[in-house]
Amino acid sequence: HRDTRRSLTLTAAPAPGERAPAAMGLPETPVEFQAATLPSGVLYTRLNIFIAPNIVMPAFSQAVGSALNAPGVIIDLRGNPGGIGLMAMGMAGWFIDQQGVNLGTLKARGINLNFFVNPRAQPFPGKVAVLVDELSMSTSEIL
């Protein structure tokens, strides 16, 4: 019932993920990268924000590199507000084997920053799905 009063006790808990130090005008931020193999053999990955490349890039490379025989990869960027755009170039390199593929151009304050794919020597050959929603922005859109 709407008029019934209830008492709740809430306990604050830290956000999941490894803490990335303050950078790019953001405070210390939890970075959460997840990777799991689904029952179908598809690799599912999820990233909450594109910061802390020293945390994310090795984990992403390990996950995709160990799943080269998987039938597909899912990259879940739903709710990801973006971050360091250059990370998209390295991540896309796992899925595109051609040099010079342009992911787009960021135009800001009279500067053009082109995002080109950095292909891997042995890219993932299967299907790729990128999940986005209305909160996927910036680097999520680049990738």
Side-chain angles (χ1 to χ4, degrees):
H1 299 116
R2 290 183 187 202
D3 296 332
T4 302
R5 290 184 178 243
R6 295 186 179 134
S7 177
L8 296 173
T9 301
L10 302 175
T11 304
E18 192 169 336
R19 293 264 190 233
M24 298 178 13
L26 296 171
E28 181 180 85
T29 305
V31 176
E32 188 176 12
F33 174 77
Q34 298 171 334
T37 302
L38 302 178
S40 63
V42 170
L43 174 65
Y44 170 85
T45 66
R46 182 185 162 280
L47 178 61
N48 71 323
I49 191 166
F50 282 93
I51 58 172
N54 60 317
I55 296 169
V56 174
M57 299 307 284
F60 185 80
S61 292
Q62 169 64 34
V64 177
S66 65
L68 292 177
N69 294 321
V73 171
I74 297 170
I75 304 169
D76 190 346
L77 300 177
R78 291 176 292 181
N80 185 317
I84 301 172
L86 299 176
M87 291 173 67
M89 297 189 311
M91 293 172 92
W94 276 103
F95 309 106
I96 297 173
D97 61 359
Q98 302 164 13
Q99 286 283 98
V101 174
N102 189 341
L103 296 174
T105 302
L106 173 67
K107 298 179 180 188
R109 299 183 190 111
I111 297 172
N112 291 343
L113 180 59
N114 292 302
F115 295 96
F116 288 96
V117 175
N118 295 321
R120 305 288 298 194
Q122 186 177 8
F124 178 78
K127 296 180 180 183
V128 179
V130 180
L131 306 180
V132 295
D133 63 11
E134 63 276 359
L135 297 176
S136 304
M137 297 178 263
S138 188
T139 306
S140 296
E141 296 169 304
I142 293 168
L143 184 60

